[in-house]
Amino acid sequence: MSIDGATIITGASRGIGLAIARHLAAEGHEVIGISRSQPPDSDITTYCADLADPADTERVLAEIVGRHRVLRLVNNAGIFEPASLEAATAAQLEAMVAVNLRAPMQAMQAVVPAMRAAGFGRIVNIGSRAALGKEGRLIYGATKAALAGMTRTAALELAADGITVNCIAPGPIETELFASGNPPGSEARKRFTAGIPVGRVGAPEEIAFACACFLDARAGFITGQTLNVCGGMTIGSAPA
Ligand code: NAP
C-alpha cells in the first residue's frame, strides 16, 4: 500500500525512532529520518543534522520540505540527563529544552504549511511517562510535560485543517537511552522491573505500533491526546 506524502521521523538512527521508521516503511510510508548519525538500515533516507542547534535544525527542515511533500511528522529525538532539584544546572536545562522541546516546535512549524495546503496532516510527539513526575528527572520530565502541553495547543490550532497532533508517552523501553540510566544486570534495574505491572520493560516496536495508529488516515478524530504506553506504570505498581 502506498501512503500519500512523506513522513519525517527525528532520531531514526536507533532505539524507538529506528523501530518507528522500520514499522512505517513496512506499511508503505516514504520515511525520512533526521539524526546526527546514519541508521544501520541503508534504505532509510536520512538527513544529518544536530537538532541541538536551532540554525542547523532550520536548515535541515527547509531542505526536506523543499524536496518532499511532508504530511506526517514524528518528533522522536530526545535526550536525557539525570538531574534532581538540588543538582540541576542551567546548562542542562538549556540542552534538554533545545532537543526535547525547541526542535519539535521548529519541526511542526516547518511541516504545517504543506499539511494545511493538503487539508491533512498527522503529527506525533514522543513524550515520556516522566512528565508525570519521577525522581532524578527534574528537567527531562519538565521538557516532556511541556511537549505534551505544546501538543494540546497545536492540536487546537490545527484541528480545523484536518491536522491531528498527539503525544505518546513511553514508559521504560529497552534502548540505549534507557540502558544509560538503568545498566543491564544492575540491582536498580531488577527492582525497577519488578514494579512494572506487565512484569517487563517494553520493546521499541511497541511504541512504533502505537505511533502508527495515530499516523493512520483513519485516526482523524483523535487529537490533542497523550497516550501512555507504559506497561501499566502510570496506573500503579505491580503488587509487591
Ligand atoms: P536513544 O536510543 O538515545 O535514541 C535517540 C535518538 O535521538 C537517536 O536516533 C539520536 O540520533 C537522536 N538524537 C539525539 N540527540 C540528537 C541531536 N542533537 N540531533 C539529532 N538527533 C538527535 O533514545 P530512545 O530511548 O530511542 O528515545 C526516543 C524518544 O523516546 C526520546 O524522545 C525519549 O525521551 C523518549 N522516551 C524513551 C524512553 C525509554 O525508556 N527508552 C522512555 C520514555 C521516553 P543521533 O545520536 O544519531 O543524532
Side-chain angles (χ1 to χ4, degrees):
M1 186 175 66
S2 96
I3 310 271
D4 189 25
T7 303
I8 292 180
I9 306 167
T10 66
S13 61
R14 60 173 184 272
I16 292 171
L18 178 59
I20 295 171
R22 287 173 173 163
H23 186 108
L24 297 182
E27 281 190 349
H29 288 247
E30 178 194 355
V31 169
I32 297 165
I34 304 176
S35 51
R36 291 164 301 182
S37 59
Q38 291 285 337
D41 308 17
S42 54
D43 57 339
I44 298 176
T45 303
T46 300
Y47 286 73
C48 284
D50 184 358
L51 298 172
D53 175 353
D56 204 28
T57 304
E58 192 180 331
R59 177 211 43 91
V60 78
L61 288 165
E63 204 176 321
I64 294 170
V65 300
R67 286 191 199 157
H68 307 266
R69 182 166 165 265
V70 178
L71 296 183
R72 290 176 174 80
L73 164 69
V74 182
N75 276 313
N76 162 79
I79 57 168
F80 158 75
E81 276 183 43
S84 65
L85 172 62
E86 286 159 301
T89 67
Q92 285 181 311
L93 180 75
E94 275 176 31
M96 280 187 259
V97 165
V99 179
N100 298 355
L101 194 60
R102 194 256 308 131
M105 180 187 77
Q106 282 181 279
M108 287 194 277
Q109 289 171 330
V111 297
V112 156
M115 292 180 177
R116 281 203 199 271
F120 174 87
R122 296 280 179 269
I123 298 173
V124 174
N125 294 320
I126 304 295
S128 172
R129 168 188 83 93
L132 300 174
K134 182 164 163 49
E135 71 289 346
R137 307 290 190 268
L138 187 91
I139 298 170
Y140 177 74
T143 62
K144 295 299 191 175
L147 187 60
M150 192 181 277
T151 298
R152 291 162 61 92
T153 293
L156 282 176
E157 293 183 358
L158 301 174
D161 279 315
I163 304 166
T164 66
V165 191
N166 290 289
C167 180
I168 292 175
I173 303 295
E174 194 62 71
T175 66
E176 279 177 38
L177 183 135
F178 176 74
S180 71
N182 302 271
S186 65
E187 265 315 302
R189 179 188 275 245
K190 279 185 208 146
R191 264 199 318 275
F192 179 73
T193 307
I196 303 173
V198 302
R200 63 175 177 83
V201 168
E205 294 70 27
E206 292 175 302
I207 303 302
F209 175 71
C211 187
C213 292
F214 280 137
L215 294 174
D216 197 289
R218 292 166 290 187
F221 206 55
I222 311 171
T223 197
Q225 304 304 306
T226 294
L227 178 66
N228 294 297
V229 182
C230 62
M233 287 189 88
T234 57
I235 308 301
S237 294

